[in-house]
Amino acid sequence: MKTLNQTLSAALVPHHAAAQPQAPSASWPRLLGSSVRAAVLVMVVSGIAYPLLTTGVAQALFPQAANGSLVERQGQIVGSALIGQQFSGPQYFHGRPSATTAPDPQQAGASMAVPYNAGLSGASNQGATHQDLSAAVAQRVAQYRADNGLAADAAVPVDAVTASASGLDPHISLANALLQLQRVAQARQLPPERVQGLMEQATAPRSLGVLGEPRVHVLQLNLALDALQPRHQPGKE
């Protein structure tokens, strides 16, 4: 016979505690299986099907752009229409300055200036009041005036002395190109009118007729100049 304390203890036990079922161990394999199937589905859709679909559409509709807008000359790739190049010789139109960098192979953890480095696109991130930026712009202004035979107080286009946000801009402004025209014509011993005609052919209008400003594609223009005088090699001088 139960004692009075045992009877009271049994009566005070909550009904839900006594009736609470335990989760069957068989539910874990089902949960794991559904998780794996969901992960595989996401991988197939986003990692295989979608990339193949977008790649196929791009190759079918825009093959030139999808393959990097590569520029060829005499069967050799000489650059991309989307990425500028470094030109320094007097016989070439010079592009916009580039602030891109690359790891310094001589010093671990350090970087070095590598203009138009498509693998590390970016700007200097220096503000308008940054002392280093002011010094760099002042140096570029002096060099630009000296290279193009301009007066000491001549106005210089902003795109001739400042880098773009990407550091890869392949274009320069019309004002910038016009100020370089005489130097290039003299270095190549060509009539300025001939050089200006090629410059106009390499000039793109405003986007949609209203956005931005007309701009000159530097690589296209320099390649057209080299087509007249093949002895010059772009990027070599």
Side-chain angles (χ1 to χ4, degrees):
M1 182 177 292
K2 293 182 179 181
T3 64
L4 180 60
N5 290 336
Q6 290 175 332
T7 304
L8 292 176
S9 299
L12 292 175
V13 173
H15 293 285
H16 64 83
Q20 183 176 2
Q22 295 183 353
S25 59
S27 64
W28 288 106
R30 289 199 301 269
L31 180 60
L32 180 61
S34 61
S35 299
V36 171
R37 288 192 296 271
V40 171
L41 177 62
V42 171
M43 180 186 68
V44 170
V45 173
S46 62
I48 299 178
Y50 179 75
L52 288 177
L53 175 63
T54 54
T55 300
V57 171
Q59 291 291 339
L61 300 181
F62 315 103
Q64 174 68 10
N67 291 299
S69 300
L70 300 179
V71 178
E72 294 187 5
R73 186 180 67 172
Q74 298 178 353
Q76 294 185 347
I77 297 175
V78 296
S80 169
L82 305 176
I83 300 174
Q85 294 186 22
Q86 181 77 357
F87 292 96
S88 57
Q91 73 275 18
Y92 289 114
F93 284 85
H94 300 168
R96 187 170 186 173
S98 173
T100 57
T101 62
D104 189 347
Q106 304 297 330
Q107 185 177 358
S111 60
M112 56 185 297
V114 179
Y116 302 102
N117 179 15
L120 196 61
S121 173
S124 66
N125 293 327
Q126 295 171 344
T129 59
H130 198 286
Q131 185 175 2
D132 292 345
L133 178 62
S134 298
V137 169
Q139 182 180 5
R140 291 168 184 164
V141 168
Q143 187 66 48
Y144 187 88
R145 288 170 175 163
D147 289 344
N148 297 289
L150 304 178
D153 59 348
V156 174
V158 67
D159 68 295
V161 294
T162 60
S164 64
S166 68
L168 308 177
D169 197 340
H171 300 94
I172 57 176
S173 65
L174 271 176
N176 188 352
L178 287 171
L179 288 176
Q180 299 185 55
L181 190 150
Q182 292 295 332
R183 166 177 55 78
V184 174
Q186 183 177 359
R188 290 183 178 265
Q189 299 180 356
L190 291 172
E193 296 80 10
R194 185 72 182 276
V195 177
Q196 185 169 3
L198 294 177
M199 187 183 74
E200 292 174 353
Q201 294 177 18
T203 300
R206 290 182 173 91
S207 300
L208 303 178
V210 294
L211 300 177
E213 295 292 335
R215 55 204 180 275
V216 179
H217 197 283
V218 178
L219 178 59
Q220 178 184 345
L221 177 54
N222 286 335
L223 288 176
L225 289 167
D226 278 347
L228 299 178
Q229 299 172 312
R231 67 179 181 271
H232 294 296
Q233 296 295 324
K236 300 297 184 181
E237 303 180 47

